[in-house]
Amino acid sequence: MSPSQEDRIAAEQLRLVLDGVTQSVAVGFLVSTLMLAVLWELVPHAVLLGWYGAFLVERFGAAAYARRVREAVGEPDCARRVERVVFASKIVEGAILGSLIWIALPLQIPAVSILTMSLLGATCSNGVSLLAPRRHLYLALVVPVAVLAAGTLWSLGGAPYRALAVCSILFVVGQYGQVVLASRRVRESIELRFENAALVEQLRAESAAAHRARRDAEHANTAKSQFLAAASHDLRQPVHAQGLFLQALSQTDLAAPQRRILQNAQTANVASTDMLNTLLDFSRLEAGVITPRRRAFELQPLLDKIENDLAHLADAKRLIYRTPQTDLAIVSDAALLELVLRNLVLNAIRYTERGGVLIGCRRRGAGVSIEVYDTGIGIPVDQREDIFREFYQLGNPERDREPEP
């Protein structure tokens, strides 16, 4: 079973405590060695060495245990077992530290008493930052120290010592208030870190999902383009054959009604051919089959070619078709530019009933602007951005002026 949120927080708090246990070994060794040197001539060596040895064994043993179990506290059962061991070790450490007061204070040497009380006070204060993540461990350390200190001071008699005994208890109570505040801050920081980690994982998952969706969309778009290229290429042959059959039929003797039907059929065939050609060219571009080949060329031969191919359509509708002469040259792909211009001119002719079509060129800075003007029905301002979407056609019935069969 995966750990709950509360278990994960407790595990992180316990890791912080174990890190503090490991880091405090050096300081504990120096402090205990200092007290050994100070008391060496004042206390029986057996008592002093016993205290010194017990303190070092507890400190180094606790540090070794902390390093060994640090990574295992992610499991709730293991974390609870480790915390019980650490709790017991802090009681032992507090008892050993508190016994130092029982050894040093009865000497009634002011300098030794001040040094002993200062070191123990500093130890308790240091425990605020090291043990605040699991504050009951702080109590396991300071309660034995406070009890032994208060008891020793009280037993020495006299108002000053008994006042010091009371102050030692009040000092621990005040320190515990700081532990509570520090514990809350530590917990809040751990919760915030978990929330940030969860957000990062969520963002990674969403990014991966978006990447997969984009990849699937690209594959689908490629497959669509390939399908359209194949379908439009296969359809072009029967439509072309249909045009030939209609052309052959037009050479026969037909009655007036049959001639009108034939004209409608030819018009529909021309429209179908135009749409298939456009669809094939677009799908080939989308599929990446066509690679632009840039070269320098003059514009006038290209404009003349389009006029020769399409002017008869304008003549059939009694439209004026004009292409002013130009001596401009550009660097582009001539075939792709012809495709774009041809479609623009075809649309201009198709949706213009009166007036004409003008294709002009002009220099604009370092570039050239090719413009197609017509006197057709135009495009509403609010739909001019929409026409650049794939396969979008304006929902304007006036734009469909093909004759009805």
Side-chain angles (χ1 to χ4, degrees):
M1 182 178 66
S2 60
S4 65
Q5 180 75 359
E6 189 63 33
D7 290 334
R8 292 176 62 207
I9 293 175
E12 287 300 313
Q13 291 172 327
L14 186 56
R15 285 194 182 98
L16 292 175
V17 170
L18 295 176
D19 291 341
V21 170
T22 303
Q23 295 168 4
S24 63
V25 171
V27 175
F29 173 75
L30 293 175
V31 169
S32 61
T33 303
L34 174 64
M35 293 305 300
L36 176 69
V38 170
L39 298 175
W40 185 255
E41 300 297 334
L42 304 174
V43 178
H45 292 174
V47 174
L48 191 58
L49 289 175
W51 174 87
Y52 183 69
F55 181 80
L56 292 184
V57 168
E58 191 281 328
R59 284 286 74 223
F60 283 101
Y65 179 77
R67 283 194 297 269
R68 182 168 62 85
V69 301
R70 184 186 185 282
E71 300 303 325
V73 297
E75 293 295 327
D77 292 339
C78 180
R80 285 188 283 270
R81 184 169 59 254
V82 169
E83 192 161 6
R84 286 194 293 269
V85 173
V86 175
F87 185 83
S89 73
K90 288 302 172 185
I91 293 177
V92 173
E93 181 183 353
I96 294 173
L97 289 172
S99 65
L100 181 62
I101 297 176
W102 177 75
I103 295 172
L105 262 62
L107 298 175
Q108 296 192 3
I109 300 176
V112 172
S113 299
I114 293 172
L115 176 62
T116 302
M117 296 299 293
S118 298
L119 289 176
L120 292 179
T123 300
C124 293
S125 298
N126 187 53
V128 172
S129 59
L130 296 180
L131 302 176
R134 304 296 288 172
R135 56 191 185 216
H136 59 282
L137 298 179
Y138 178 80
L139 291 177
L141 172 68
V142 299
V143 167
V145 174
V147 170
L148 288 172
T152 302
L153 289 168
W154 193 273
S155 66
L156 292 176
Y161 283 112
R162 290 182 178 178
L164 285 174
V166 174
C167 288
S168 64
I169 298 298
L170 294 177
F171 173 79
V172 171
V173 173
Q175 288 287 291
Y176 185 71
Q178 296 298 316
V179 170
V180 172
L181 294 177
S183 178
R184 291 174 182 172
R185 296 191 187 98
V186 170
R187 181 183 177 90
E188 290 171 357
S189 66
I190 293 174
E191 290 175 345
L192 182 60
R193 178 154 57 90
F194 283 165
E195 291 175 2
N196 291 337
L199 287 176
V200 170
E201 288 300 319
Q202 182 180 354
L203 288 175
R204 287 177 179 171
E206 292 177 354
S207 178
H211 177 72
R212 289 193 299 269
R214 184 176 65 252
R215 183 185 58 198
D216 294 342
E218 290 173 352
H219 290 167
N221 189 56
T222 301
K224 175 204 70 175
S225 299
Q226 293 172 346
F227 169 77
L228 289 176
S232 57
H233 181 271
D234 292 340
L235 286 173
R236 178 181 276 180
Q237 294 180 356
V239 170
H240 180 66
Q242 183 184 33
L244 294 177
F245 290 141
L246 292 173
Q247 182 65 28
L249 183 60
S250 67
Q251 304 300 322
T252 63
D253 294 330
L254 298 174
Q258 295 170 330
R259 182 68 61 182
R260 287 194 298 270
I261 294 174
L262 175 61
Q263 290 174 349
N264 290 336
Q266 287 178 320
T267 301
N269 179 258
V270 170
S272 299
T273 302
D274 291 342
M275 286 188 291
L276 281 175
N277 289 338
T278 301
L279 184 60
L280 177 59
D281 293 332
F282 173 79
S283 58
R284 291 173 65 195
L285 285 171
E286 285 286 295
V289 176
I290 298 178
T291 302
R293 298 179 179 177
R294 295 164 57 87
R295 63 178 180 85
F297 61 93
E298 294 182 349
L299 280 172
Q300 191 58 49
L302 174 60
L303 298 177
D304 291 341
K305 179 181 178 183
I306 295 175
E307 182 174 358
N308 292 334
D309 293 342
L310 303 180
H312 71 282
L313 298 176
D315 294 340
K317 299 180 69 173
R318 293 188 175 89
L319 300 176
I320 300 173
Y321 187 108
R322 291 288 182 269
T323 305
Q325 293 292 315
T326 180
D327 59 356
L328 294 175
I330 63 172
V331 177
S332 182
D333 186 302
L336 294 180
L337 180 59
E338 179 183 352
L339 172 63
V340 173
L341 284 177
R342 186 178 293 273
N343 285 333
L344 289 174
V345 174
L346 276 172
N347 275 337
I349 296 174
R350 180 176 298 146
Y351 298 114
T352 300
E353 296 302 317
R354 293 182 299 275
V357 177
L358 173 67
I359 299 93
C361 305
R362 67 179 67 185
R363 188 185 304 276
R364 291 191 181 273
V368 174
S369 173
I370 304 175
E371 301 169 354
V372 178
Y373 296 91
D374 64 67
T375 56
I377 60 176
I379 300 172
V381 176
D382 60 346
Q383 298 188 45
R384 289 179 182 174
E385 294 296 328
D386 295 332
I387 63 174
F388 294 100
R389 291 158 48 191
E390 293 182 11
F391 304 114
Y392 183 84
Q393 187 174 20
L394 296 179
N396 186 351
E398 293 185 6
R399 293 185 62 84
D400 185 7
R401 295 187 178 270
E402 298 293 341
E404 301 258 346

